[in-house]
Amino acid sequence: MPKKYRIFYSYAFLDPGAKREIRRKVLKALAIPGYQVPFASREMPVARGWGTGGLQLTLSLVGPRDVVKVIDQGADDSVNAANLRRFIAQVSGAKTTWDALEATLIQSRHRIPEERLREGQVLILQVPIPEPLRYVEPSEVRARELHALGDYTPLWVDLFEEHLTRARSRKGAAYPVLVHGRYVMDPSPIPRFDLAKLHMAQHITLFGAGREKRLYAVPPYTRVEPLTFTDRPFEVEAIQGRCRRTGVNHVFLNAIPQEDGRVEYEVSDGGYMEKLLRGLPRDPSSRRSAVEADAPLLEVRGLRKAYGTTEVLKGVDLELYPGEVLGVVGASGSGKSTLLRVLHLDEDAEGEYRLRLPGLEGVNLLALDPYAKARVRCHLALVHQEASAVLRMGFSALTNVVEPLLLEGQRTFSALRERGLEALARVDFPLDRVLYPPRWLSGGQRQRVQLARALAQGAAILLLDEPTTGLDLLVQATFLDSVRRLKAQGRFAMVLVSHDLGVVRAVSDRILVLLEGRVVEEGLADQVLEDPQHPYTQDLVQARL
């Protein structure tokens, strides 16, 4: 969020009363290890995947001298992790890091860092379901009685049945553990692989469940023992292979399905993998440093564009981060399409426009000559609302896809054909129509040809200008599925311009609202659409309803 829009009405976002309440409950949870402590605080209005409970604990405990690490699904460089890291830094002034040993406070979705944490560090985990008895004792009243009595027979019955019928427990991220010999705790959502890191750990571990309004804790040097029968040893997840980037197999690995049916693996702890990679031969462009991951891939400051005496863009600021989808909305005439043309370097404008890509660091793209801009466009791919503005309507779909490669000077026919077919397959284009010219294709198929063209081109940023305009609902849904798949695969960072709030909400992480060439509101997609602040945004949302 630009500095001019930051409002420090309360340190670290939460009001002082809520923070005091949570801190008191944290002290109680530390005094009674594994005990679920209820607390009174409204649920925070945050984006999906951010973890209300974990964020409440983090913002209640963080101080300006803290160093914060955020892990989301094991990764430091996911969109949620980057957004959370920026949010925490903005509202608290704390520094951020990828290094687990440097951090004083670590917020994680489901992983404990691979490196052994030390005294003085605090690990916070966001918990979806805190009650270990939930699936064997549906009554909340009865569950509380069992906790008070220390009677966990229903859990043992469930474990026995699993071993009897399956020869092992099916429980993964919710395997019950006995804390300090007294309370059974659900360490969800961390995997079984990480449970050993809780036993006699030197650091503090806190678990926060925002929707359930409960938190619990494991103080330093506390016994944490998985429930298991004496003749059935506790087993962690089997490691299936080796990390494709580091070659290790002694840590928790994420399985990454490939399009050809194979499965590859990567170290789940992104910060730890960065350390492993420092001593290995590698292509420097194949990864980003911790600083680069938190820095915008695309940054625009004070962007102005006029046609004659009519100013269309009036000092627009925006940022686009790696792997992110930024939605730009506004009524007709607000400057959306002009903004996209400037970002694609099709229009001259005033201001600063920078890309954080090799060879372009520190370069203001708006100041380049036309030939230099043409070379930069290889990093930018445009999906236009009118496919005829981009595609050659008389040439086959496959030829249109490989055209950017031909412009780059590639001349091996078989390699070009293979790369084009691969790109078309990735966007679910029917391969029996690759020789059809776009004029024979449906609107949705033309848009997928544009997506495939961007894939084959190897662009870093995808610019989508009203891509679903004129498509019926079923074709829209199919096209958006392709966009979501590319987003999940981390193929592009994207800027999506649309007047359709439903389309923007379906794929966007953040939304920027334009009114007469100015940004009047900006924020997370759910936040802007569920709780719009500017009257213009409120009118847009109301019109959609």
Side-chain angles (χ1 to χ4, degrees), residues 33-279:
Y35 174 69
Q36 297 178 37
V37 180
F39 65 92
S41 175
R42 65 182 180 86
E43 184 179 343
M44 293 179 63
V46 296
R48 293 186 296 270
W50 275 28
T52 300
L55 191 55
Q56 282 176 314
L57 286 173
T58 297
L59 297 181
S60 296
L61 302 177
V62 69
R65 296 183 180 179
D66 276 308
V67 180
V68 180
K69 173 182 170 73
V70 179
I71 311 171
D72 181 78
Q73 298 290 44
D76 294 74
D77 59 351
S78 68
V79 171
N80 277 348
N83 283 334
L84 269 169
R85 198 160 42 239
R86 290 196 300 272
F87 176 74
I88 294 169
Q90 287 174 357
V91 300
S92 71
K95 296 180 180 179
T96 61
T97 183
W98 278 29
D99 189 340
L101 299 184
E102 182 186 4
T104 58
L105 192 153
I106 301 169
Q107 179 173 328
S108 177
R109 182 167 184 175
H110 80 280
R111 287 302 319 284
I112 298 177
E114 298 294 346
E115 297 169 284
R116 185 177 179 85
L117 302 180
R118 63 182 186 279
E119 289 185 1
Q121 291 183 287
V122 179
L123 173 66
I124 295 174
L125 291 127
Q126 57 198 62
V127 180
I129 300 175
E131 178 56 75
L133 295 166
R134 174 68 52 85
Y135 299 110
V136 295
E137 179 49 70
S139 169
E140 290 287 339
V141 174
R142 179 58 179 160
R144 287 196 295 269
E145 291 177 357
L146 293 175
H147 280 296
L149 296 171
D151 181 1
Y152 294 106
T153 304
L155 281 176
W156 285 106
V157 170
D158 186 49
L159 285 173
F160 179 84
E161 181 68 11
E162 289 185 354
H163 281 280
L164 183 66
T165 58
R166 300 170 179 267
R168 64 176 60 190
S169 173
R170 71 176 186 276
K171 296 185 183 300
Y175 197 97
V177 294
L178 184 64
V179 180
H180 200 52
R182 176 58 180 87
Y183 286 101
V184 168
M185 179 185 81
D186 185 347
S188 175
I190 66 172
R192 296 198 309 268
F193 190 92
D194 284 345
L195 291 187
K197 300 173 187 174
L198 291 174
H199 181 63
M200 300 303 290
Q202 298 178 28
H203 65 279
I204 294 174
T205 305
L206 303 176
F207 298 82
R211 291 182 177 85
E212 302 272 353
K213 303 292 191 298
R214 299 182 192 179
L215 59 89
Y216 43 103
V218 177
Y221 305 104
T222 300
R223 299 195 316 276
V224 179
E225 300 156 315
L227 300 188
T228 185
F229 296 98
T230 56
D231 58 344
R232 292 292 177 92
F234 176 72
E235 297 179 351
V236 301
E237 296 88 343
I239 297 175
Q240 301 293 331
R242 293 182 178 274
C243 174
R244 63 183 179 181
R245 298 177 66 188
T246 65
V248 303
N249 68 344
H250 65 279
V251 298
F252 192 80
L253 302 177
N254 287 335
I256 304 173
Q258 303 299 300
E259 295 176 357
D260 59 5
R262 295 180 300 109
V263 177
E264 294 185 351
Y265 299 89
E266 280 191 1
V267 174
S268 176
D269 184 341
Y272 184 63
M273 181 162 63
E274 289 294 319
K275 287 187 174 182
L276 293 174
L277 285 169
R278 286 174 189 169

Side-chain angles (χ1 to χ4, degrees), residues 284-323:
S285 65
S286 67
R287 68 182 188 92
R288 300 186 301 273
S289 69
V291 175
E292 289 172 326
D294 280 341
L297 178 63
L298 180 155
E299 186 173 14
V300 168
R301 290 288 177 261
L303 188 64
R304 294 183 175 275
K305 173 63 182 177
Y307 295 103
T309 59
T310 304
E311 196 170 23
V312 180
L313 298 177
K314 306 171 184 178
V316 172
D317 294 344
L318 68 86
E319 298 167 343
L320 179 69
Y321 289 83

Side-chain angles (χ1 to χ4, degrees), residues 19 72 78 80 84-85 128 240 271 290 361 376 422 450 470-471 520 532-533:
K19 288 188 289 187
D72 181 78
S78 68
N80 277 348
L84 269 169
R85 198 160 42 239
Q240 301 293 331
E361 294 88 346
V376 173
E422 179 186 5
Q450 292 194 71
L471 304 182
V520 296
Q533 300 298 306

